[in-house]
Amino acid sequence: MSTTKSLQELIIAVHFEVPIPLAVVDLADWIALFSKDFPVVQQLPNLPQVSLPVPGMLPQMQFQMLEVPPLPRMLLRSPDSRYSVQLQNDRFAFGWHRTEPVGVPAAYDGFESHKVAWNEVLDRFEHWCMSRFHQKPKYRLLELSYSNAAPLVVDGRTKRISEIFTFVQAKSRSLGAFNVSWVEGVQPLVPGEPVKGIVSIQVAVGTAPPAQPVLTFTFSGMSGVAEDEKSEHILEQVHAKIREIYSATIITDGD
């Protein structure tokens, strides 16, 4: 088992072609299905619906509000809060979460192990849908996101931005704030053609408890799901693109 110093959260999710008409009794039954492994129950506000950009628009994730307010998003956590599953009427998700303070090494099994865990919970969810609604949900998008935070003050010295990013010049100034974002295609983006998948990168200077300055960097990948494609293969493609961007842009300290 490896460790990570910066990763805060990993989320893998599928978005449905058509929202599931969930009722309160359906959510109760779903909670019971996963309660053995994920007994800690939380009720959260719904996340906005997302879509890939359309040709002629700038490549960024498009957010749309659901027309009819659905039931709340349900988050179930493992007893140690390390793992989770989530359900709202337009998506199902699995997650890994850091429980250690920022900068402290945390046990992390890696992408391949979490891909296996994802396939297991997704299979359980699909069987539940078949039993509950007599059909499996069809997926329109697959999402993979990595949220990271790294301390800016190490051994009493504040790092410069050039010590973190490969694309910042070596003699960069000492900054009190920094924010940058960009988008890349999972496959090459061709003007006028449909976008198959994107990775959105958000980087900023922030704080973590207790008032610790940190650099946050999030890689959010999303790709369309075609009928003849397996979600596992799409997940691997998105992960490969995120790793490519991470390796090319972030200078790590052995993380």
Side-chain angles (χ1 to χ4, degrees), residues 192-239:
E193 293 191 6
V195 177
K196 296 181 179 179
I198 59 173
V199 176
S200 175
I201 303 92
Q202 304 286 334
V203 183
V205 171
T207 58
Q212 177 185 12
V214 296
L215 177 78
T216 63
F217 45 106
T218 300
F219 298 79
S220 300
M222 188 167 289
S223 187
V225 180
E227 285 196 28
D228 57 345
E229 288 183 295
K230 292 186 177 181
S231 60
E232 181 177 345
H233 296 160
I234 301 172
L235 181 63
E236 291 170 351
Q237 292 173 6
V238 175
H239 174 259

Side-chain angles (χ1 to χ4, degrees), residues 8-141:
Q8 303 298 301
E9 183 177 74
L10 159 72
I11 297 293
I12 306 173
V14 283
H15 298 249
F16 313 139
E17 280 190 359
V18 179
I20 298 175
L22 294 171
V24 173
V25 291
D26 299 319
L27 286 183
D29 192 64
W30 177 81
I31 291 170
L33 172 71
F34 284 99
S35 61
K36 180 179 179 181
D37 298 318
F38 306 92
V40 183
V41 181
Q42 291 179 263
Q43 180 177 300
L44 300 173
N46 279 286
L47 296 171
Q49 196 176 53
V50 298
S51 298
L52 289 170
V54 298
M57 297 182 63
L58 291 176
Q60 58 184 355
M61 292 187 184
Q62 304 296 309
F63 294 87
Q64 302 171 347
M65 296 304 296
L66 299 174
E67 293 182 359
V68 179
L71 292 174
R73 173 166 54 108
M74 303 305 300
L75 172 67
L76 311 183
R77 290 185 180 271
S78 59
D80 61 359
S81 294
R82 182 73 76 184
Y83 299 96
S84 71
V85 289
Q86 298 184 55
L87 178 66
Q88 73 177 50
N89 72 338
D90 70 337
R91 76 196 68 183
F92 172 76
F94 165 80
W96 174 94
H97 312 269
R98 167 182 287 270
T99 58
E100 296 81 3
V102 172
V104 175
Y108 178 67
D109 292 335
F111 171 73
E112 292 299 326
S113 176
H114 289 118
K115 183 177 68 173
V116 172
W118 160 249
N119 286 332
E120 290 176 352
V121 296
L122 181 62
D123 184 67
R124 289 170 64 183
F125 172 68
E126 290 179 342
H127 278 83
W128 176 78
C129 287
M130 282 294 296
S131 174
R132 194 77 184 174
F133 305 107
H134 309 295
Q135 62 180 350
K136 291 183 180 179
K138 292 185 178 180
Y139 309 128
R140 62 184 183 88
L141 293 173

